[in-house]
Amino acid sequence: MKKNLFFISMFVACTAVAQQKDYSIKDINFTQVHLTDNFWLPRIEINRTATIPASFERCENTGRVKNFVMAAEKKGKFCTVYPFDDTDIYKTIEGAAFSLATHPDKKLDAYVDSLIVIIRNAQEPDGYLYTARTIDPVNVGSWVGKERWEKERELSHELYNAGHMYEAAVAHYLATKKRNFLDIAIKNADLVCSVFGPGKRSVAPGHEIVEMGLVKLFRITGKQEYLNTAKFFIYARGQYNGYDPKNTDSWKNGSYWQDHKPVVQQDEAVGHAVRAGYLYSAVADVAALTGDDSLTKAIDKIWENVVSKKLYIQGGIGARGDGERFGANYELPNNTAYNETCASIANVYWNHRMFLLHGDSKYMDVLERTLYNGLISGVGLDGKSFFYTNAMEVRNGFSHNDIERERSGWFQCSCCPTNVCRFIPAVPGYMYAQKESDLYVNLFISSTANLVINNKPVQVLQQNNYPWEGDLRFTIQTAKANSFKLLIRIPGWALNTAVPSDLYSFQKNTGVKPTIKINGEPVTYEIQNGYAVIDRAWKKNDEVLVMLPMEIRQIIANEKIKDNIGKLALQRGPIVYCAEWADNNGKAGNIIIPAGGAFSTEYKPMLLNGVMTLKTEVPVVSITGTESITTERKTVTMIPYYSWANRGKGEMTIWFPSQIKDIEILSK
Amino acid sequence: MKKNLFFISMFVACTAVAQQKDYSIKDINFTQVHLTDNFWLPRIEINRTATIPASFERCENTGRVKNFVMAAEKKGKFCTVYPFDDTDIYKTIEGAAFSLATHPDKKLDAYVDSLIVIIRNAQEPDGYLYTARTIDPVNVGSWVGKERWEKERELSHELYNAGHMYEAAVAHYLATKKRNFLDIAIKNADLVCSVFGPGKRSVAPGHEIVEMGLVKLFRITGKQEYLNTAKFFIYARGQYNGYDPKNTDSWKNGSYWQDHKPVVQQDEAVGHAVRAGYLYSAVADVAALTGDDSLTKAIDKIWENVVSKKLYIQGGIGARGDGERFGANYELPNNTAYNETCASIANVYWNHRMFLLHGDSKYMDVLERTLYNGLISGVGLDGKSFFYTNAMEVRNGFSHNDIERERSGWFQCSCCPTNVCRFIPAVPGYMYAQKESDLYVNLFISSTANLVINNKPVQVLQQNNYPWEGDLRFTIQTAKANSFKLLIRIPGWALNTAVPSDLYSFQKNTGVKPTIKINGEPVTYEIQNGYAVIDRAWKKNDEVLVMLPMEIRQIIANEKIKDNIGKLALQRGPIVYCAEWADNNGKAGNIIIPAGGAFSTEYKPMLLNGVMTLKTEVPVVSITGTESITTERKTVTMIPYYSWANRGKGEMTIWFPSQIKDIEILSK
């Protein structure tokens, strides 16, 4: 408890810069929330015990650490594939720091310190830190320019490496109070700010994240220059004259890295989805910190574009594999869906900031959809097997491209595993937020949160079995009566809104509405911006019970998504379901789900670490021999999408034909 | 008869230039062959009575003629879409000329003369003829350069227009002996030769055909400069420095118009298929006329590439719609097949010339496959409805692109209808060829051919019911005994070779071989280069009977053609079959044809102008309601592919799954 209070005061201090503009809503740091649940706590624990150690081990085994050692010695040959491989170490340290913040571990702490020494030794005297050049500045690979920053626009990722380092260093400083990593980051950031800026060098960073990193450094140090440079990088976009706007190749017209237009003129999500998500997150930060409304307007439009035209039902973004990028509007094919895990993480970062800007629950609705579905699908239940991409369907032998069917331990480009590593421990940080004395509850996870409202300590206890059950119990612990508004997000899905757009909709509405009881008494409540507002003088042990209707909802897609015409998907609570081979006689592509059918639910504690399954009897196609097809009604079992591909390789689908209009005979 | 003899002497005179190198094999002009059959004669007749008049009418109605009128007046605004719309008039005149050559028609002759006056008036004083510029040389559209020839490489088609004009003018001169069109062409060709050549301007013509046209003018006039300039244009390819060889965009690396490498270094068919076919045809001409073996070697390699990796089973070429071009090796998808009708015509031109170069029947095998299938599929039985592209399959509502499902009267870019117009009347010209006293018989069409062998007149009478029956009767009419070799092509398919490569193969061989009788007596015969050689002193009424086995052959594709794995197609004689909706309860995509099944044939004289149909009982998928699929054995009827889409819009397929391994449920 003492520890927790220490962290509260530290974070409050760190984020309070005098008279600095900022988000009107402040997030509650993950260190203030102590989870007790069965869904996220085991994930954070496996991240701590499996993902982080495995990640460090792989950083060592693949030569990523060796690159830093060689850079310190200025000899050898860069021994991994990409110059941005440095970031895997930074991101794993960031994950370790988040873990240390809530789970002290001397051995891990010491190991991280030893890595920081190796990192510091690789830093050049003026702060430059980029092993791919420092090892041998003469024989640089094709991604690395002959001069520093020369290829930053297209290839080198020098500022991408810097950005991830700043994020990691800030996390490490906040978790440990040690400045050993932070000082390295500051030295590098000072160099970056001395090189780039008005009247100095300009570039739109090829892979954004330095902007978010600089903002985090600014929050810690208060150095205005960091914020200015972040803003400078955002405004540097759309200024380069070397593109050919008529060229449809996004590398040639700059749209691949969102450099085709000034940000304030952008209104559609284009190019590499992770870069885009990091840019939009940084734009939100800078808009909040500088009060720049033109930036806010741009990301508002881009957000509308994504949620109405470019979002998969499982919350993934970036439909196209060629370039890991957004497709055209409504280009959301199932059989070639890319949906990079990192892009889901970026989408959470961005939507969280959109909420902090606007205080509307629709952003958290998108965040929750991504978080519970297309993001955690990227990591296996063992914590050490990953999907780089997140498929929408898999057919035995008949897929139209080489989508991943099995999880891997690591990838040559291993951004996703290390991004998972740093993301998972911070999940409790998305649960609460405060605007003065208003307390927002955004996510429902059994936990104890230690807050300060009206300068008085308040503890909020959550008890639920979310996402499997809809009863959400909140207990307020306060020494003395304390008047404040509790704003509990009523998820869009509970009000029959699949997504905040017409991209997907629920097929029918049972009309059951969420109900709320306070201390056992039903109350009427008002909904403002998607939140049930409960404004009262809270006394010790006041209990709020929110009952969300957990019906099984059939989703239909906008007809402009060609692949989903005549199909439906299933959702219960925040969870999107799929059928996987292992529960359905080896197949999934042969299942028809007629609209309006009846389903039963069954919680299976031993299956996939405990999941709520759906069951229904529907027509299933059987092939006998090589010439005969029949349909018979069979019981079909569906599992949460996030839990697929934990039992070997086989068919999976999210979208089901709801009737047979025709068939294509596959004869391979 | 007198008329025919006149033409014989005229054509013999025209092609005999003293000591000029040329094809060692000479084709027999179509005017020397008088058809009497039920397959081609009605097509030529409908081309004469429907296609040619409709074509002229459309040239008038769409403003194509008006463009010439405005050019003469040097005022107005080019009123069609493409600067190469001029060629539709030239090509229709070419078709009309071919028709006049065998079917005098004073009214048509006078109408053509009136058009030639309009064309002559549009020609500029120095011979330049290109209405898109002459009408208004200042306000030229984006396809037309500010200066003459400026955009010839990429867009203007100035030399393309010239080439079609030469072809038409030569045909008109040969048919009518009138020089009115020929003189216009010569004046233009003299200009072209004065502008382009060594030490003068150089360009690789953007859309080839001027090379073929110049060769034809050379054959008529004997002017060596025309041949030299044709050769110059061929050697101009691969010389331009403005391309980026690393750019994969074929417009940027020059491969779209076969300009990425010198022709002698080319070994793969790439880029726009019609342009390619015209280039390879011209290369054959120039190789023959100049003895340039390096050119022959290049087209030999390219031909091997096409027949082993880029040929559809119906003889079409040019798989990709984006750019009407060749795909990669083995890229022969069914649902997006482009197969432009013009490309089939170009493929016939090219293969005919390859035969004249090499004397091997394999070229005529490819020619026959294209001619009887993917070429004549491009024109409806009414002679005035056309396909620009030739589909391989159509599904009701489930096609993956916008392939044509119905024939059109005309297209904005109407190259295909007018190409059909000029191609059909010349078909008898592909039947025979002579190498000194050796007489090649390449196509089997009931007819009388008037030939001169060993300086003596010889008439060859063909009587058969090809392509429906395999008995081919040849009667030699000669006043006195005449010793010569008769070389009758034994089609590859009759010897169990689907195509001269491993791209397609017949699934089983019944072992029945073609047999030959002379005057009723079976003879043994030798096959040389694919020809049955019958060397004897021919007497009047000697009769040769060739009996080709007309079994129904199941074709399987090389496994590298992904779309055809597990599928088979059907061929009988030279005819490739398809199943069309109209004969099969409205569907075609639901038919399974197990390998090795039994078929029956039935000739239906009233169906589609008379076709041999195939029938078989096979598993067919039925969908009842929206939830039930079954397979039942049903009788399925197949029709010749060329005759599809003459009874309205619906499903069609050439390739059939031979077993059900899996299905894709279509739910639209």
Side-chain angles (χ1 to χ4, degrees):
Chain A
M1 191 61 198
K2 230 176 170 178
K3 180 170 65 67
N4 276 346
L5 282 177
F6 158 72
F7 276 107
I8 298 171
S9 57
M10 187 173 89
F11 281 97
V12 170
C14 291
T15 53
V17 177
Q19 286 154 332
Q20 171 65 49
K21 284 187 190 125
D22 206 339
Y23 293 112
S24 58
I25 302 173
K26 314 285 180 211
D27 57 326
I28 302 296
N29 193 273
F30 72 95
T31 54
Q32 293 173 246
V33 187
H34 176 66
L35 300 198
T36 55
D37 81 316
N38 289 322
F39 191 89
W40 287 107
L41 192 57
R43 283 186 162 70
I44 292 169
E45 195 57 10
I46 199 112
N47 189 70
R48 186 181 70 80
T49 58
T51 314
I52 293 171
S55 238
F56 278 131
E57 195 187 318
R58 284 160 185 154
C59 283
E60 303 230 19
N61 293 346
T62 57
R64 280 160 167 80
V65 174
K66 190 181 169 196
N67 281 335
F68 283 88
V69 173
M70 287 190 293
E73 295 169 352
K74 293 198 167 25
K75 66 179 182 191
K77 191 170 179 314
F78 185 77
C79 65
T80 63
V81 175
Y82 303 109
F84 54 79
D85 289 333
D86 291 0
T87 62
D88 288 322
I89 295 182
Y90 302 148
K91 285 151 80 184
T92 312
I93 291 177
E94 186 177 352
F98 286 150
S99 175
L100 288 170
T102 53
H103 199 286
D105 177 336
K106 280 189 181 165
K107 210 172 145 190
L108 178 61
D109 189 27
Y111 174 71
V112 168
D113 280 344
S114 74
L115 283 181
I116 292 169
V117 170
I118 291 171
I119 294 167
R120 188 180 55 220
N121 291 341
Q123 188 169 36
E124 299 193 17
D126 65 354
Y128 187 77
L129 181 43
Y130 181 75
T131 68
R133 179 189 310 286
T134 305
I135 291 170
D136 181 353
V138 177
N139 301 304
V140 293
S142 60
W143 289 60
V144 180
K146 289 282 174 201
E147 301 297 326
R148 285 183 183 178
W149 325 111
E150 183 189 320
K151 291 196 178 178
E152 169 57 30
R153 181 177 292 107
E154 299 90 352
L155 283 168
S156 72
H157 291 66
E158 281 154 293
L159 294 174
Y160 174 76
N161 285 14
H164 269 303
M165 175 176 45
Y166 306 163
E167 297 234 314
V170 169
H172 183 257
Y173 168 70
L174 293 176
T176 65
K177 282 214 310 177
K178 290 189 277 196
R179 295 187 59 100
N180 48 347
F181 198 4
L182 182 65
D183 286 340
I184 297 170
I186 286 173
K187 193 170 178 184
N188 182 270
D190 289 343
L191 172 70
V192 166
C193 293
S194 75
V195 170
F196 296 96
K200 293 179 276 183
R201 191 186 263 267
S202 177
V203 74
H207 193 316
E208 298 91 331
I209 199 167
V210 71
E211 306 85 350
M212 292 169 80
L214 282 167
V215 165
K216 286 196 177 164
L217 271 187
F218 162 72
R219 289 189 183 281
I220 293 294
T221 63
K223 268 200 196 175
Q224 198 69 36
E225 201 181 3
Y226 296 161
L227 176 59
N228 293 348
T229 305
K231 185 168 180 174
F232 175 80
F233 282 138
I234 287 169
Y235 274 89
R237 311 199 92 77
Q239 306 302 329
Y240 178 60
N241 290 325
Y243 300 127
D244 174 5
K246 288 182 186 159
N247 198 318
T248 54
D249 179 343
S250 65
W251 276 74
K252 300 282 163 58
N253 63 33
S255 66
Y256 187 66
W257 44 84
Q258 300 80 41
D259 196 16
H260 54 305
K261 288 182 193 178
V263 169
V264 295
Q265 291 172 21
Q266 295 188 26
D267 55 9
E268 182 179 353
V270 294
H272 189 271
V274 183
R275 302 181 198 215
Y278 289 172
L279 170 65
Y280 308 149
S281 299
V283 169
D285 282 344
V286 170
L289 288 164
T290 64
D292 185 337
D293 286 345
S294 62
L295 289 178
T296 306
K297 276 178 193 151
I299 48 173
D300 284 353
K301 281 185 195 162
I302 296 169
W303 187 86
E304 286 294 342
N305 172 252
V306 171
V307 298
S308 65
K309 298 180 178 73
K310 301 194 178 185
L311 182 73
Y312 276 99
I313 191 63
Q314 38 79 301
I317 54 173
R320 297 180 65 162
D322 60 322
E324 317 187 319
R325 61 189 160 131
F326 285 104
N329 288 333
Y330 302 107
E331 183 187 343
L332 295 164
N334 292 324
N335 57 24
T336 58
Y338 198 73
N339 278 333
E340 185 176 341
T341 301
C342 284
S344 283
I345 291 174
N347 202 30
V348 166
Y349 289 159
W350 179 31
N351 276 283
H352 184 227
R353 285 161 170 83
M354 294 302 284
F355 157 74
L356 296 176
L357 266 183
H358 295 298
D360 196 300
S361 75
K362 66 184 179 184
Y363 304 107
M364 293 306 301
D365 283 352
V366 175
L367 186 153
E368 184 185 65
R369 177 172 294 281
T370 304
L371 179 63
Y372 278 89
N373 301 291
L375 192 160
I376 55 172
S377 58
V379 54
L381 299 176
D382 62 0
K384 46 188 181 179
S385 59
F386 303 90
F387 275 133
Y388 191 108
T389 67
N390 291 277
M392 296 294 292
E393 74 177 27
V394 169
R395 295 298 302 272
N396 288 333
F398 294 103
S399 262
H400 298 287
N401 75 335
D402 299 321
I403 53 170
E404 288 173 286
R405 297 145 171 280
E406 279 187 300
R407 298 170 187 278
S408 298
W410 191 251
F411 306 89
Q412 194 170 67
C413 168
S414 204
C415 51
C416 298
T418 53
N419 232 347
V420 165
C421 200
R422 72 178 185 134
F423 178 83
I424 293 290
V427 165
Y430 301 103
M431 292 175 67
Y432 293 99
Q434 260 181 267
K435 183 179 185 179
E436 294 162 5
S437 66
D438 294 356
L439 178 64
Y440 289 90
V441 186
N442 277 319
L443 297 182
F444 313 120
I445 308 173
S446 290
S447 56
T448 307
N450 296 295
L451 311 167
V452 176
I453 303 175
N454 296 322
N455 294 315
K456 295 172 202 161
V458 174
Q459 232 182 22
V460 180
L461 189 70
Q462 282 201 41
Q463 290 164 291
N464 60 51
N465 193 21
Y466 199 80
W468 313 127
E469 290 169 24
D471 284 8
L472 312 174
R473 202 172 300 271
F474 304 88
T475 310
I476 309 297
Q477 303 280 13
T478 173
K480 297 177 192 168
N482 191 344
S483 287
F484 60 88
K485 279 189 197 160
L486 184 67
L487 296 103
I488 301 174
R489 182 173 71 94
I490 304 299
W493 57 258
L495 299 168
N496 216 42
T497 301
V499 288
S501 73
D502 66 353
L503 193 60
Y504 303 105
S505 49
F506 294 130
Q507 209 161 17
K508 59 172 191 174
N509 183 355
T510 58
V512 180
K513 286 201 167 172
T515 54
I516 298 182
K517 291 180 184 174
I518 298 181
N519 298 326
E521 292 299 314
V523 294
T524 57
Y525 60 93
E526 200 188 338
I527 292 191
Q528 284 176 3
N529 298 325
Y531 292 87
V533 183
I534 306 169
D535 187 1
R536 59 185 267 139
W538 298 93
K539 300 185 310 292
K540 188 169 183 173
N541 290 330
D542 270 355
E543 187 189 277
V544 180
L545 175 64
V546 176
M547 286 166 288
L548 302 176
M550 296 300 275
E551 62 198 276
I552 295 154
R553 295 164 198 271
Q554 300 192 350
I555 304 167
I556 52 173
N558 188 306
E559 291 228 328
K560 289 176 184 159
I561 306 178
K562 284 194 187 168
D563 263 19
N564 296 343
I565 295 174
K567 292 184 182 170
L568 55 81
L570 295 158
Q571 181 175 341
R572 182 179 178 278
I575 299 292
V576 173
Y577 279 78
C578 71
E580 197 185 20
W581 66 277
D583 309 298
N584 300 293
N585 299 310
K587 290 198 65 63
N590 61 342
I591 297 167
I592 297 115
I593 310 266
F599 291 81
S600 63
T601 56
E602 186 185 354
Y603 184 77
K604 296 201 172 175
M606 302 305 288
L607 181 66
L608 299 162
N609 292 1
V611 289
M612 186 71 78
T613 60
L614 308 186
K615 276 191 171 33
T616 185
E617 199 190 287
V618 290
V620 171
V621 177
S622 295
I623 297 161
T624 316
T626 59
E627 298 185 8
S628 168
I629 308 177
T630 52
T631 31
E632 354 173 14
R633 293 189 82 83
K634 282 189 183 169
T635 298
V636 161
T637 299
M638 270 156 268
I639 59 168
Y641 167 72
Y642 75 74
S643 68
W644 85 281
N646 279 292
R647 293 172 292 176
K649 198 161 76 168
E651 296 204 340
M652 182 278 294
T653 194
I654 292 178
W655 289 97
F656 301 89
S658 58
Q659 51 181 327
I660 311 168
K661 276 280 185 75
D662 203 347
I663 64 160
E664 173 114 30
I665 301 163
L666 305 174
S667 185
K668 263 178 223 185
Chain B
M1 190 63 199
K2 227 172 175 182
K3 180 170 65 71
N4 274 347
L5 281 177
F6 158 73
F7 275 105
I8 297 171
S9 56
M10 190 175 88
F11 281 97
V12 170
C14 290
T15 52
V17 177
Q19 283 154 337
Q20 172 64 49
K21 283 186 190 125
D22 206 339
Y23 292 112
S24 58
I25 302 172
K26 315 285 180 209
D27 58 327
I28 302 297
N29 193 274
F30 72 96
T31 55
Q32 293 173 247
V33 187
H34 176 67
L35 300 198
T36 55
D37 81 317
N38 289 323
F39 192 89
W40 288 105
L41 192 57
R43 283 185 161 70
I44 293 170
E45 195 59 10
I46 200 113
N47 190 70
R48 185 180 72 80
T49 58
T51 315
I52 293 171
S55 238
F56 278 131
E57 195 187 318
R58 284 158 185 155
C59 283
E60 302 230 17
N61 293 346
T62 58
R64 280 161 168 79
V65 174
K66 191 182 168 196
N67 282 335
F68 283 88
V69 173
M70 289 188 294
E73 295 169 351
K74 291 198 166 27
K75 66 181 182 189
K77 192 171 179 314
F78 185 78
C79 66
T80 62
V81 174
Y82 303 109
F84 53 79
D85 290 334
D86 291 359
T87 61
D88 289 322
I89 295 182
Y90 303 148
K91 284 150 80 184
T92 313
I93 292 178
E94 187 177 350
F98 286 150
S99 175
L100 288 171
T102 52
H103 199 286
D105 177 337
K106 279 189 182 166
K107 210 172 145 190
L108 179 61
D109 189 26
Y111 175 72
V112 167
D113 280 344
S114 75
L115 283 180
I116 293 169
V117 170
I118 291 170
I119 293 167
R120 189 180 55 220
N121 291 342
Q123 187 169 36
E124 299 193 16
D126 66 352
Y128 188 74
L129 181 43
Y130 181 75
T131 68
R133 178 189 311 286
T134 304
I135 292 171
D136 180 353
V138 177
N139 302 304
V140 292
S142 60
W143 289 60
V144 180
K146 288 282 175 200
E147 302 296 326
R148 285 183 183 178
W149 324 113
E150 184 189 321
K151 291 196 179 178
E152 169 57 31
R153 182 177 292 105
E154 299 90 354
L155 283 169
S156 72
H157 291 67
E158 281 154 291
L159 294 174
Y160 175 75
N161 286 13
H164 269 303
M165 176 176 45
Y166 306 164
E167 297 233 316
V170 168
H172 183 258
Y173 168 70
L174 292 177
T176 65
K177 281 214 313 180
K178 288 190 276 196
R179 295 188 59 100
N180 49 345
F181 199 6
L182 182 66
D183 286 340
I184 297 170
I186 286 173
K187 195 170 175 184
N188 183 271
D190 288 343
L191 172 70
V192 167
C193 293
S194 75
V195 170
F196 295 96
K200 294 178 277 184
R201 190 186 263 269
S202 177
V203 73
H207 192 317
E208 298 92 331
I209 199 167
V210 70
E211 306 84 349
M212 291 170 80
L214 282 167
V215 166
K216 285 195 177 166
L217 271 187
F218 162 71
R219 288 189 183 281
I220 292 293
T221 63
K223 268 200 194 177
Q224 197 68 36
E225 203 181 2
Y226 297 160
L227 177 59
N228 292 349
T229 305
K231 184 167 181 176
F232 175 79
F233 282 138
I234 288 169
Y235 273 90
R237 309 198 94 75
Q239 305 303 328
Y240 179 59
N241 289 326
Y243 299 126
D244 174 4
K246 287 182 187 161
N247 198 317
T248 53
D249 179 343
S250 65
W251 276 73
K252 299 281 163 58
N253 62 34
S255 66
Y256 186 66
W257 44 84
Q258 300 81 40
D259 196 17
H260 54 304
K261 290 183 193 177
V263 169
V264 295
Q265 290 171 22
Q266 294 188 26
D267 54 11
E268 182 179 353
V270 294
H272 190 271
V274 184
R275 302 181 199 215
Y278 289 172
L279 170 64
Y280 308 150
S281 299
V283 169
D285 283 344
V286 170
L289 288 164
T290 64
D292 186 336
D293 285 345
S294 62
L295 290 177
T296 306
K297 276 179 195 151
I299 47 174
D300 284 352
K301 281 185 195 162
I302 295 168
W303 187 88
E304 286 293 341
N305 173 253
V306 171
V307 299
S308 64
K309 299 181 178 69
K310 301 195 176 185
L311 183 73
Y312 276 100
I313 191 64
Q314 38 79 300
I317 53 174
R320 298 180 66 161
D322 60 323
E324 316 188 317
R325 61 190 159 127
F326 286 103
N329 288 333
Y330 302 107
E331 182 187 345
L332 295 164
N334 293 322
N335 57 23
T336 58
Y338 197 74
N339 277 333
E340 185 176 339
T341 302
C342 284
S344 284
I345 291 174
N347 202 29
V348 166
Y349 289 158
W350 178 31
N351 276 282
H352 185 226
R353 285 162 170 82
M354 294 301 282
F355 158 73
L356 295 177
L357 267 183
H358 294 300
D360 197 302
S361 74
K362 66 185 179 182
Y363 305 107
M364 293 306 302
D365 284 352
V366 175
L367 186 153
E368 184 184 65
R369 176 171 294 280
T370 304
L371 179 64
Y372 278 89
N373 301 291
L375 193 159
I376 55 172
S377 58
V379 53
L381 298 177
D382 62 1
K384 47 191 180 178
S385 59
F386 303 90
F387 275 134
Y388 192 108
T389 67
N390 291 278
M392 296 295 293
E393 75 178 24
V394 169
R395 295 299 301 271
N396 288 334
F398 295 103
S399 261
H400 300 285
N401 74 336
D402 299 322
I403 53 169
E404 289 174 284
R405 297 146 171 281
E406 278 187 300
R407 298 169 188 277
S408 298
W410 192 250
F411 306 89
Q412 195 168 67
C413 168
S414 204
C415 52
C416 299
T418 53
N419 232 349
V420 165
C421 201
R422 74 178 183 132
F423 178 82
I424 294 288
V427 165
Y430 301 103
M431 292 174 67
Y432 293 97
Q434 260 180 268
K435 183 179 184 177
E436 295 163 3
S437 66
D438 294 355
L439 178 64
Y440 289 90
V441 186
N442 277 318
L443 298 181
F444 312 119
I445 308 174
S446 290
S447 57
T448 307
N450 296 296
L451 311 166
V452 175
I453 301 174
N454 296 322
N455 293 316
K456 294 172 202 161
V458 174
Q459 228 179 25
V460 180
L461 188 70
Q462 282 201 40
Q463 289 164 292
N464 60 53
N465 192 21
Y466 201 79
W468 313 127
E469 290 170 23
D471 284 6
L472 313 173
R473 202 172 300 270
F474 304 87
T475 310
I476 309 298
Q477 303 282 13
T478 173
K480 298 179 191 168
N482 192 345
S483 287
F484 61 88
K485 279 188 198 161
L486 184 67
L487 296 104
I488 302 174
R489 183 174 70 95
I490 304 299
W493 56 258
L495 298 170
N496 217 42
T497 303
V499 288
S501 73
D502 66 354
L503 193 59
Y504 303 106
S505 49
F506 294 130
Q507 208 161 18
K508 59 172 190 172
N509 183 353
T510 57
V512 179
K513 286 203 167 169
T515 53
I516 298 182
K517 289 182 184 172
I518 298 180
N519 297 327
E521 292 300 312
V523 293
T524 57
Y525 59 93
E526 200 187 340
I527 291 190
Q528 285 176 2
N529 297 326
Y531 292 86
V533 183
I534 306 169
D535 187 1
R536 57 185 270 143
W538 298 93
K539 299 186 310 291
K540 187 168 185 178
N541 290 330
D542 270 354
E543 188 188 273
V544 179
L545 175 63
V546 177
M547 285 167 288
L548 302 177
M550 296 301 275
E551 63 199 276
I552 295 155
R553 295 164 198 271
Q554 300 192 349
I555 304 167
I556 51 172
N558 188 306
E559 291 227 328
K560 290 176 182 158
I561 306 178
K562 284 193 187 168
D563 264 18
N564 296 343
I565 296 173
K567 293 185 182 169
L568 56 82
L570 295 158
Q571 181 175 341
R572 181 179 177 278
I575 300 293
V576 172
Y577 279 78
C578 72
E580 199 186 19
W581 65 278
D583 309 296
N584 299 294
N585 299 311
K587 290 199 66 61
N590 60 343
I591 298 167
I592 297 118
I593 310 266
F599 290 82
S600 62
T601 55
E602 185 185 354
Y603 183 76
K604 294 200 174 176
M606 302 306 289
L607 182 66
L608 299 163
N609 293 0
V611 288
M612 186 70 77
T613 61
L614 308 186
K615 276 191 171 31
T616 185
E617 199 190 286
V618 290
V620 170
V621 177
S622 295
I623 296 162
T624 316
T626 59
E627 297 185 8
S628 168
I629 308 177
T630 51
T631 31
E632 355 174 13
R633 293 189 82 83
K634 281 190 184 168
T635 298
V636 161
T637 299
M638 271 157 267
I639 58 168
Y641 166 73
Y642 74 75
S643 67
W644 85 283
N646 280 292
R647 293 172 294 178
K649 199 162 75 167
E651 296 203 340
M652 182 279 293
T653 195
I654 293 178
W655 289 97
F656 300 88
S658 57
Q659 52 181 322
I660 311 168
K661 277 281 185 75
D662 203 346
I663 63 161
E664 173 115 31
I665 301 163
L666 304 174
S667 185
K668 262 180 220 182

